[in-house]
Amino acid sequence: MKVPTFWNVHILLGALHFFLNPLLSSTATSNGNHGTLWDNSPYEISPEGDFPESLQFTNKRQKNPSFLAATINITVREGDMATLPCAVKNLGTRQVAWRRLANGQVMTVGTLTWIKDKRVFVDNKIRHEQPGVSDWNLLIKNARQKDSGVYECQITDKKKFSRNITLTVIGPPIRKPGVTIEGKEFPNHGQEIRLTCNATGGPHIPEEIDWFKEGDKIDSHKYPNILITKYRSLRDQSLVSQLIIDHSRVEDTGMYICRSSDEEIASLKVTVMVAGSVNKKRVPRPVDPKSQSNQHGARYRTGSGSTYGPHQGSSASGLLLEGSAWIAFFVYTLLYPLCMHVI
């Protein structure tokens, strides 16, 4: 007797169920949930929300991230670069974000800067010698005192992983070691000479400043006319010295050198100027317009009744000739009748 086709299919399905059911049931989880083919996948589906917008895949095999040990209190001087460390292990596909706790403002996410401050950026490096470790240090160039505060390095994940770093900015910036000298290079004879030497020693103030003239060290015995003063500036972290000569002389001309205890040197050439006689220009007297109109033949009468022409330089010879003519005329007038009577 032939078995119907319906029964053939039913027997085949029963056989498949008998052999496959043990395999499927062996993948069930220990918490009592029924196992499925998804259990062999490294991903799981979050049941929240509607499919497909809120279908979330998370890597079940990804390890939890952690922070490596680092300094949590950073102190820098104003003007320097502040580096806030943040080293993460097992970051995976997550992101690292920095924010300032004072105002809750997010500053960076990943390597992107979210604020309008060009001084702020993230230095990201992967440590090849340490597998799974990467650095996400927050850098602030030209640090200011207002940058002081608490900053948070946070890993974006369902669970909160964060670490706080405290930044303290002190000021002002420390100058590099060096010496500068200022003063008047060409004082006049008798004027004051005042040279100022400013010496900085970096993190410390120089202990001493020495003055030299033409290579010879200046002291009160050799140069009694030179006064040297010194004072320290805590604000500028510098030692300031002044060389003063009240009344300069020609002998004070020369090359002056100041040297700090850090062997930093600066020099200035001073030349005392000696002023010579000054030729004064003769300024002509203003001419009376009336005298210009009477230059030709005009005469002026003085208080004594004498008569002079317009040019005082030639008046003497003119008066002499005029007097001689009058005398000759007077003699001729007296002697002419007498001569005629004798004849």
Side-chain angles (χ1 to χ4, degrees):
M1 184 176 176
K2 219 173 185 182
V3 180
T5 305
F6 170 78
W7 291 107
N8 291 338
V9 174
H10 185 73
I11 293 172
L12 179 61
L13 291 175
L16 290 174
H17 182 268
F18 177 80
F19 288 104
L20 293 178
N21 186 54
L23 296 175
L24 294 175
S25 60
S26 63
T27 59
T29 58
S30 58
N31 57 4
N33 294 335
H34 295 287
T36 65
L37 293 177
W38 285 103
D39 293 325
N40 293 326
S41 170
Y43 298 96
E44 63 180 0
I45 302 178
S46 176
E48 301 89 21
D50 299 328
F51 181 86
E53 287 79 11
S54 50
L55 183 65
Q56 302 175 1
F57 290 85
T58 59
N59 194 339
K60 295 190 300 179
R61 296 179 181 177
Q62 187 172 241
K63 297 180 180 179
N64 288 332
S66 60
F67 294 99
L68 271 66
T71 304
I72 61 174
N73 293 298
I74 305 297
T75 301
V76 298
R77 188 169 292 274
E78 187 176 358
D80 294 343
M81 177 180 290
T83 301
L84 281 60
C86 185
V88 181
K89 185 176 182 180
N90 301 327
L91 181 62
T93 58
R94 306 174 186 90
Q95 293 286 346
V96 175
W98 279 95
R99 71 187 184 100
R100 190 168 184 176
L101 293 185
N103 52 17
Q105 184 181 23
V106 176
M107 304 177 68
T108 64
V109 175
T111 57
L112 300 178
T113 302
W114 283 42
I115 58 176
K116 295 181 179 180
D117 192 341
K118 296 181 179 180
R119 301 179 303 123
V120 178
F121 60 98
V122 169
D123 182 24
N124 172 231
K125 294 180 181 178
I126 297 176
R127 299 187 184 182
H128 298 286
E129 70 280 4
Q130 295 178 275
V133 177
S134 56
D135 292 300
W136 299 85
N137 300 332
L138 180 69
L139 274 59
I140 304 176
K141 296 189 300 182
N142 190 22
R144 307 166 185 169
Q145 292 189 7
K146 68 177 183 179
D147 296 326
S148 299
V150 181
Y151 295 80
E152 181 187 68
C153 179
Q154 180 180 350
I155 299 174
T156 59
D157 194 48
K158 291 181 179 180
K159 297 180 181 180
K160 184 176 181 180
F161 296 92
S162 64
R163 168 174 288 178
N164 295 341
I165 306 293
T166 302
L167 173 63
T168 303
V169 181
I170 60 177
I174 297 178
R175 298 181 180 180
K176 295 181 179 180
V179 172
T180 60
I181 185 171
E182 299 177 352
K184 192 173 183 179
E185 298 182 46
F186 302 99
N188 290 326
H189 186 273
Q191 285 186 338
E192 179 189 68
I193 297 177
R194 183 181 294 265
L195 306 181
T196 302
C197 179
N198 192 321
T200 59
H204 65 277
I205 300 176
E207 298 178 359
E208 189 58 75
I209 288 180
D210 294 323
W211 285 92
F212 299 84
K213 180 187 177 184
E214 299 293 347
D216 185 25
K217 187 175 181 179
I218 298 175
D219 56 41
S220 58
H221 299 288
K222 294 181 181 179
Y223 302 89
N225 64 319
I226 297 179
L227 175 65
I228 295 178
T229 64
K230 301 174 185 178
Y231 66 91
R232 282 177 169 80
S233 174
L234 297 178
R235 182 182 182 279
D236 298 330
Q237 291 290 303
S238 64
L239 178 62
V240 181
S241 178
Q242 285 191 333
L243 183 148
I244 304 172
I245 301 176
D246 288 334
H247 301 284
S248 61
R249 303 171 300 175
V250 179
E251 294 80 5
D252 296 324
T253 297
M255 179 69 72
Y256 290 84
I257 301 172
C258 69
R259 183 185 66 184
S260 70
S261 55
D262 296 328
E263 301 298 326
E264 299 290 338
I265 297 176
S267 61
L268 181 68
K269 174 70 174 180
V270 177
T271 303
V272 179
M273 307 295 290
V274 179
S277 60
V278 180
N279 295 324
K280 297 182 179 179
K281 295 182 178 180
R282 295 183 179 180
V283 180
R285 297 180 180 179
V287 181
D288 189 354
K290 294 181 179 180
S291 65
Q292 291 181 349
S293 61
N294 298 326
Q295 283 183 357
H296 302 285
R299 295 183 178 181
Y300 303 97
R301 184 171 299 276
T302 63
S304 60
S306 302
T307 304
Y308 299 92
H311 301 286
Q312 299 293 335
S314 60
S315 61
S317 59
L319 290 175
L320 181 59
L321 294 175
E322 186 178 1
S324 300
W326 279 103
I327 293 174
F329 177 75
F330 180 72
V331 172
Y332 176 78
T333 305
L334 293 178
L335 296 180
Y336 179 76
L338 182 59
C339 292
M340 291 298 296
H341 180 70
V342 173
I343 296 173

